[in-house]
Amino acid sequence: MTASRSSADDERRARLARSFDAVARDYHRYRPGYPERAVRLALPDGGADRSARWDVLDLAAGTGILTGAVLPWCRSLVAVEPLAGMREQLTGRHPSITVLDGRAEAIPLAAASVDAVLVGQAFHWFEPHAALAEVARVLRPGGVLSLLANEARDTPETRRLRRDIQTAKDRLDRPTRRRTTDGSAAVPPEPTGSPFAHPAFAIPVHTVVPWTRSLTGPQLLAEHHTHSIVLTASAARRATFDDEVRAALDRHRADRPADEPLGLPMQCHVWRAVRRS
């Protein structure tokens, strides 16, 4: 716990993080995957050698969305995930890989045992300094830590839809949002700048990979029901949120059928840093 966070802040973070376990199946079904180019950029050689294979740790692996994407480039792959429901989904989909119960701050692997540590959409849940020290411990010199994070990308066609859904989510969060003593949110958003600050790592290379996601309006709403701030809201607030999202989708679709897939522009951030010798 940092000096600026209270025990109440930490308990709220823990409660939000645990909320995913109850919807692990839907999490895997509705959360976005990762474009192949982003996954290859996260590898030790940046994907330059298509024949190369690596010993990889998927840290905070969740239900295995990133696990399945990186598996073709692995000599060995270990997935570490603290939530039992998520591990169950992951093991069911990838029974051949090693899945361990563990946290980023206490990784259950030997020192210098992997070439790459990949983290998909999860670094903002870690205690950064402790997690980076542990990642440095399990990486071989010259190995890489790569963080991947998807976010929606604004276009003139989708800007209002994205803004309206974000407004609904902010309104859902506002009555219970806590702040740390330094004024920051108790649960930070996905990283938008370099999250590395540890002497074991070189300055990270940041690449943005644009891609487009296809899903229907009901699928988009279902995805938001796998977000922690929605999961932990009261039933009444979730119902209001659902009404606001459906109204935003109706405005966006205009005369198009409700089940017609939406082409949602996305971008995947990849931060890749080399472990110093």
Side-chain angles (χ1 to χ4, degrees), residues 124-274:
H124 61 299
W125 292 108
F126 299 169
E127 188 66 41
H129 187 79
L132 289 169
E134 271 292 88
V135 170
R137 182 184 65 81
V138 302
L139 271 175
R140 295 169 182 143
V144 298
L145 167 62
S146 293
L147 314 184
L148 297 90
N150 279 310
E151 68 175 359
R153 176 166 48 93
D154 270 346
T155 66
E157 294 76 23
T158 61
R159 185 173 292 114
R160 183 181 179 187
L161 174 64
R162 184 185 181 201
R163 181 196 65 201
D164 289 351
I165 292 177
Q166 188 58 52
T167 298
K169 186 176 285 188
D170 289 344
R171 190 156 36 242
L172 182 72
D173 188 24
R174 192 174 298 125
T176 57
R177 182 180 291 275
R178 297 185 62 88
R179 293 276 163 178
T180 62
T181 55
D182 65 359
S184 59
V187 179
E190 288 289 355
T192 55
S194 171
F196 293 93
H198 195 281
F201 294 97
I203 296 173
V205 175
H206 178 211
T207 307
V208 179
V209 179
W211 65 289
T212 300
R213 187 181 181 204
S214 179
L215 73 171
T216 65
Q219 288 172 334
L220 180 61
L221 179 58
E223 184 209 331
H224 281 283
H225 274 253
T226 70
H227 291 191
S228 59
I229 202 63
V230 180
L231 286 168
T232 56
S234 68
R237 292 195 181 281
R238 281 199 305 273
T240 299
F241 172 79
D242 290 354
D243 289 343
E244 292 177 347
V245 171
R246 290 190 184 104
L249 287 165
D250 287 343
R251 288 191 294 271
H252 178 73
R253 282 190 301 247
D255 297 327
R256 288 175 291 173
D259 59 354
E260 179 180 307
L262 306 168
L264 295 183
M266 303 286 292
Q267 55 190 15
C268 184
H269 295 268
V270 182
W271 290 271
R272 178 177 169 278
V274 175

Side-chain angles (χ1 to χ4, degrees), residues 5-113:
R5 282 220 310 267
S6 69
S7 58
D9 292 329
D10 276 5
E11 173 52 35
R12 181 170 186 259
R13 283 174 63 89
R15 180 170 59 89
L16 289 168
R18 289 192 302 266
S19 68
F20 300 120
D21 220 21
V23 293
R25 187 183 299 273
D26 282 349
Y27 188 102
H28 193 91
R29 181 179 181 184
Y30 295 116
R31 285 295 185 105
Y34 300 93
E36 180 179 327
R37 179 170 173 247
V39 175
R40 290 183 60 78
L41 285 168
L43 297 172
D45 67 346
D49 182 356
R50 287 186 171 271
S51 66
R53 296 296 179 266
W54 312 96
D55 297 324
V56 174
L57 165 62
D58 184 1
L59 184 57
T63 61
I65 295 173
L66 179 57
T67 312
V70 76
L71 191 55
W73 291 283
C74 294
R75 178 170 50 226
S76 69
L77 176 57
V78 176
V80 170
E81 166 56 42
L83 297 179
M86 305 289 258
R87 290 198 306 273
E88 182 180 359
Q89 290 290 315
L90 197 164
T91 301
R93 288 180 169 83
H94 303 290
S96 64
I97 72 167
T98 300
V99 179
L100 301 176
D101 179 4
R103 301 179 297 111
E105 299 81 7
I107 299 171
L109 292 183
S113 57

